Amino acid sequence: MAEVNELNQLEIRILGALIEKQHTVPDSYPLTLNALLAACNQKSSRDPVIEATEAELLVALDQLREHGWVAEVSGGRVLRYEQALAKVLRIPSQSVALLAVLMLRGPQTAGELRLNCERLHRFADISAVEGFLEELASRPSAALVLQMPKQAGARECRWCHLLAGAPSLVQADVPQLDLVARVANLELELEKLKAMLVDMQENQGARA
């Protein structure tokens, strides 16, 4: 089984794009190299948007093939590529759909995931989405998703995938970081005022 923390951004984009196109354009799946490149560099439904080259794609595909994430399929005059995420991670199709959308669009709430997964898998309600997310987050072998800290002013927490390792959660909430910095500055000013007060008291004592 491949390690879940060995994938880079392009490898993750390749897997997400293959899963997406398997459901949205099944007649064209498995994908040719040109079709896969177009899917990876697609501007819509992608966060972040990338501009990978064919050479970069081939290097990433070699790495994915080596660990069993992707397989080459002979068809006609050109090679085609298919993903094997469910087989490698041993997860159901519902979980594959959730991971694919997280890989393609970045962190999202359970409600956003339900909406964005519509073409890959239709979840009955948000609780169904949350159920599969919790299963992915509590896998005994290795967690595949993580519930991120709630952002200031947000009603719901977002989820992220862990296929590239743990994200930098320290930067997940900029307003909270600003507040911490302000508190630190206030504490520094308070210490300065205390020092000034001590000096004043000492000077008054010396004069007396």
Side-chain angles (χ1 to χ4, degrees):
M1 178 176 170
E3 296 294 331
V4 297
N5 62 348
E6 65 184 17
L7 302 180
N8 60 37
Q9 184 184 70
L10 182 53
E11 291 165 353
I12 288 168
R13 178 57 53 85
I14 288 171
L15 287 173
L18 285 172
I19 296 167
E20 179 190 63
K21 300 307 179 184
Q22 183 178 5
H23 290 83
T24 58
V25 286
D27 292 341
S28 301
Y29 187 85
L31 299 184
T32 64
L33 183 65
N34 287 338
L36 179 55
L37 184 62
C40 289
N41 292 342
Q42 185 176 308
K43 299 275 192 293
S44 61
S45 304
R46 301 288 187 266
D47 186 13
V49 172
I50 65 171
E51 292 185 5
T53 65
E54 184 176 309
E56 291 170 337
L57 196 67
L58 287 170
V59 171
L61 283 168
D62 283 340
Q63 290 296 315
L64 290 170
R65 280 202 312 272
E66 182 179 339
H67 295 286
W69 295 98
V70 165
E72 283 184 352
V73 181
S74 298
R77 299 179 180 179
V78 296
L79 286 175
R80 293 176 177 269
Y81 300 90
E82 62 181 8
Q83 56 83 24
L85 195 78
K87 180 180 178 182
V88 172
L89 299 177
R90 296 176 186 150
I91 56 176
S93 59
Q94 297 95 322
S95 298
V96 172
L98 290 170
L99 283 175
V101 172
L102 287 171
M103 286 189 279
L104 293 173
R105 294 173 178 249
Q108 296 157 78
T109 66
E112 290 170 335
L113 283 168
R114 184 191 177 206
L115 178 64
N116 293 329
C117 275
E118 189 74 13
R119 295 193 300 168
L120 308 185
H121 179 84
R122 183 168 295 179
F123 290 93
D125 48 39
I126 293 179
S127 63
V129 174
E130 291 173 336
F132 280 100
L133 288 171
E134 288 166 5
E135 284 184 8
L136 289 170
S138 59
R139 291 172 79 245
S141 55
L144 294 176
V145 299
L146 176 71
Q147 189 174 37
M148 302 174 70
K150 187 180 293 186
Q151 292 182 308
R155 297 177 57 187
E156 299 178 60
C157 291
R158 297 184 301 164
W159 292 79
C160 64
H161 71 79
L162 297 175
L163 292 170
S168 179
L169 298 179
V170 177
Q171 299 178 355
D173 196 340
V174 175
Q176 187 175 5
L177 287 178
D178 289 343
L179 179 60
V180 171
R182 289 173 62 189
V183 170
N185 287 332
L186 287 173
E187 289 177 344
L188 183 61
E189 291 298 323
L190 182 59
E191 290 300 321
K192 290 180 180 179
L193 290 173
K194 286 181 179 179
M196 290 174 61
L197 182 59
V198 170
D199 288 340
M200 290 173 61
Q201 290 174 339
E202 290 178 347
N203 289 335
Q204 289 177 351
R207 290 172 185 172

